[in-house]
Amino acid sequence: VISYLAVVVVIGLSPKVGVPTTVIVMTAVSLAGLVLYGLVDGQLNVSVVDDVVVAIGGRPVEMVDGAAQFVSVNSNDGGAASVGLEALRFDLFGLWLAAVPVVAFGAPLGAWATSRVTDRQLVRFVILLAVVETVSTIVFLDGLINEPDPALISFALIGGGSTVAILLLIRKHRRQILGLAESDFDASFTRSRLDVGPEFQSQLDEETST
């Protein structure tokens, strides 16, 4: 998300450049997560007995309130105590199987669709996806509606408002931030000199109208 905003809003490149850029970033993050958590931390090493996860990465787990959780030894009383981390969410193979159809079919389909829509249509679609994702998270994630957390709600509202304000500020002062030179409308435009930022079209329209 941050890389997409940086490419499109700050640098001012086409959204059709931002989408594949973020896909490459997500791929790199996924590979890093696989190495760090799956191999180094051993989360790919899941021990299952009678369809029950008993250990992950050599660390034992136990069922607490219907959820598999890691077990740690409390040095104060010498007993075992749950640390509250659900172990069943480390079904990496199952998550991989769920992601395969999305990547195998969604990525080429998305690339094909992106090449046939305008920048404005692509941006609207990305905004729609973000809204749907936010609403679906609120609806389907346990506890967000039944037991709303005031701190979480405040964080979402303040964080969302601050993000929009910062992006608008960056968009307005992107020339100063990136050190871009002012557009010279008397000079011929080439691919290397063309400013493709969001303010360029309005500046060009004003110049041509006069």
Side-chain angles (χ1 to χ4, degrees):
V1 172
I2 294 176
S3 62
Y4 182 83
L5 293 175
V7 168
V8 176
V9 178
V10 180
I11 300 178
L13 297 180
S14 168
K16 294 182 180 180
V17 176
V19 170
T21 300
T22 55
V23 171
I24 294 175
V25 171
M26 287 188 290
T27 302
V29 171
S30 299
L31 292 174
L34 172 65
V35 173
L36 179 62
Y37 292 105
L39 302 179
V40 177
D41 195 46
Q43 293 181 12
L44 285 176
N45 181 20
V46 180
S47 301
V48 180
V49 176
D50 296 330
D51 295 330
V52 176
V53 177
V54 296
I56 297 179
R59 291 174 291 177
V61 297
E62 66 176 4
M63 296 302 295
V64 178
D65 295 330
Q69 299 178 341
F70 286 114
V71 176
S72 64
V73 176
N74 191 325
S75 58
N76 295 328
D77 55 18
S82 169
V83 297
L85 184 60
E86 293 186 3
L88 291 180
R89 71 184 180 92
F90 292 104
D91 181 13
L92 300 185
F93 184 71
L95 295 174
W96 179 79
L97 288 177
V100 165
V102 177
V103 177
F105 298 101
L109 179 61
W112 174 82
T114 300
S115 65
R116 284 163 173 75
V117 299
T118 65
D119 287 352
R120 186 177 298 274
Q121 291 171 333
L122 181 58
V123 170
R124 288 175 175 173
F125 182 68
V126 171
I127 294 174
L128 176 63
L129 287 180
V131 173
V132 171
E133 181 181 5
T134 302
V135 173
S136 62
T137 300
I138 296 175
V139 172
F140 294 111
L141 196 62
D142 294 338
L144 284 185
I145 294 182
N146 298 331
E147 300 176 1
D149 185 353
L152 182 60
I153 295 176
S154 301
F155 174 79
L157 294 177
I158 296 175
S162 301
T163 300
V164 172
I166 292 173
L167 289 176
L168 292 176
L169 182 64
I170 291 176
R171 178 179 179 272
K172 182 178 180 180
H173 300 285
R174 54 181 298 274
R175 289 189 179 277
Q176 293 84 349
I177 295 175
L178 299 177
L180 297 176
E182 293 294 331
S183 299
D184 183 2
F185 294 100
D186 295 328
S188 61
F189 289 107
T190 62
R191 183 177 295 275
S192 60
R193 292 189 61 256
L194 182 60
D195 177 13
V196 294
E199 301 294 338
F200 171 73
Q201 188 60 49
S202 61
Q203 294 173 359
L204 183 60
D205 293 340
E206 292 177 1
E207 183 68 19
T208 53
S209 63
T210 58

